[in-house]
Amino acid sequence: TSDIFQATDSIGTNIFAPVAEEVLSFDEFRYFTGVTTLKYGAFTGMVNMSSITLPASVQSMDEASFRSSRKNVSCDINVVDDNPYYKSDNGILYSKGGSVLYKCAKYIASLTLSDDVTSIASYAFEKNPIETIYAPNAEIVDKKAVFYNCANLKSVTLKSISGSNTTLVFAGCLNLTTIEFTGAFSGGALNTFGSSASDYTGRNTYSEGVNKLRLAVNAVVPTTEPWSTPLLDATKCGFIAHGEITI
């Protein structure tokens, strides 16, 4: 099968569909040395895949390449050492220099990212059962569904969220109670916390005084619309401005 891909420069949506659910590991992908591009949904349906290794030839990928590639099991995404564009650290996919986290399909309870990580890609943690993420220097700018349906997520620390195209970052995070920004906050699109004004984190009820939004010293507090209602109204998002932190 790999011979076919020596002359194939891109992997598109559902290309592996006939056998997707049967794939338990795909480390043989490292030998598909003709592949340079991974398109949207390249590994869709591989719900039982526990590991994959990207070849040195991969130069670019859609940020949704691994979207829904796993639902049933944790998956390590590995990269051969001589790939000049991407790398893997403990099964998590990063840009070669480590500044961008592209995908974490590995099931872990908590993750602390170094200050070198300055950006998190769309769908990076989608449906991951992770509980705590500490990424004090990471910004989410014009991204989609970064933590979409992370139902166990309780606490997130980021540098900032911004961009008019940033949507559904925390949608479906049913147990999220603490969001901490170490830098400025402009919020992105109004549905950053969910799909409607009354359901920002995928819940219908909130506990005033329990959900906490922590902002850095000198950060702009979102006390005006469109953010004052979803963030500070206990009947909606229910997050309250909870003091200041020193960075």
Side-chain angles (χ1 to χ4, degrees), residues 22-36:
E22 300 175 16
V23 176
L24 302 182
S25 67
F26 200 8
D27 293 313
E28 296 85 355
F29 190 58
R30 72 175 70 196
Y31 302 117
F32 291 21
T33 55
V35 176
T36 60

Side-chain angles (χ1 to χ4, degrees), residues 101 112 173:
L101 188 156
T112 297
C173 295

Side-chain angles (χ1 to χ4, degrees), residues 101 111 113-115 117-121 124-125 132-141 143 146-147 153 155-162 166 169-170 173 176 178-185 187 192-193 213-216 219 245 247:
L101 188 156
L111 179 65
L113 299 179
S114 73
D115 287 346
V117 180
T118 58
S119 178
I120 300 178
F125 292 90
T132 303
I133 298 171
Y134 184 75
N137 210 35
E139 300 179 280
I140 294 175
V141 183
K143 302 300 181 183
V146 176
F147 305 105
L153 188 61
S155 175
V156 177
T157 299
L158 300 167
K159 183 176 182 180
S160 66
I161 293 178
S162 63
T166 294
V169 174
F170 298 113
C173 295
L176 182 60
T178 301
I179 304 171
E180 181 175 306
F181 294 106
T182 62
F185 173 82
T192 294
F193 290 84
L213 174 67
R214 296 192 176 106
L215 301 172
I245 60 174
I247 58 174

Side-chain angles (χ1 to χ4, degrees), residues 70-222:
R70 55 99 201 100
K71 292 181 181 178
N72 299 336
V73 297
S74 173
C75 181
D76 283 359
I77 302 174
N78 302 306
V79 185
V80 297
D81 291 339
D82 55 346
N83 184 299
Y85 300 96
Y86 301 98
K87 72 173 184 178
S88 175
D89 184 3
N90 195 30
I92 301 172
L93 181 63
Y94 296 88
S95 60
K96 189 67 173 184
S99 62
V100 182
L101 188 156
Y102 280 104
K103 186 66 177 180
C104 178
K106 186 182 184 74
Y107 290 177
I108 50 180
S110 64
L111 179 65
T112 297
L113 299 179
S114 73
D115 287 346
D116 293 336
V117 180
T118 58
S119 178
I120 300 178
S122 297
Y123 312 107
F125 292 90
E126 182 184 19
K127 301 176 184 176
N128 194 306
I130 195 167
E131 297 179 6
T132 303
I133 298 171
Y134 184 75
N137 210 35
E139 300 179 280
I140 294 175
V141 183
D142 290 324
K143 302 300 181 183
K144 298 178 181 179
V146 176
F147 305 105
Y148 187 72
N149 279 345
C150 290
N152 296 331
L153 188 61
K154 298 175 182 177
S155 175
V156 177
T157 299
L158 300 167
K159 183 176 182 180
S160 66
I161 293 178
S162 63
S164 60
N165 293 318
T166 294
T167 62
L168 303 174
V169 174
F170 298 113
C173 295
L174 306 180
N175 291 293
L176 182 60
T177 57
T178 301
I179 304 171
E180 181 175 306
F181 294 106
T182 62
F185 173 82
S186 61
L190 187 57
N191 68 351
T192 294
F193 290 84
S195 58
S196 68
S198 62
D199 195 19
Y200 277 87
T201 57
R203 296 174 295 176
N204 293 319
T205 59
Y206 304 90
S207 299
E208 184 174 7
V210 174
N211 298 333
K212 300 177 179 64
L213 174 67
R214 296 192 176 106
L215 301 172
V217 173
N218 298 322
V220 177
V221 179

Side-chain angles (χ1 to χ4, degrees), residues 53-67:
T53 301
L54 304 186
S57 56
V58 173
Q59 302 175 12
S60 65
M61 66 178 69
D62 191 289
E63 292 186 359
S65 295
F66 287 92
R67 190 175 188 195

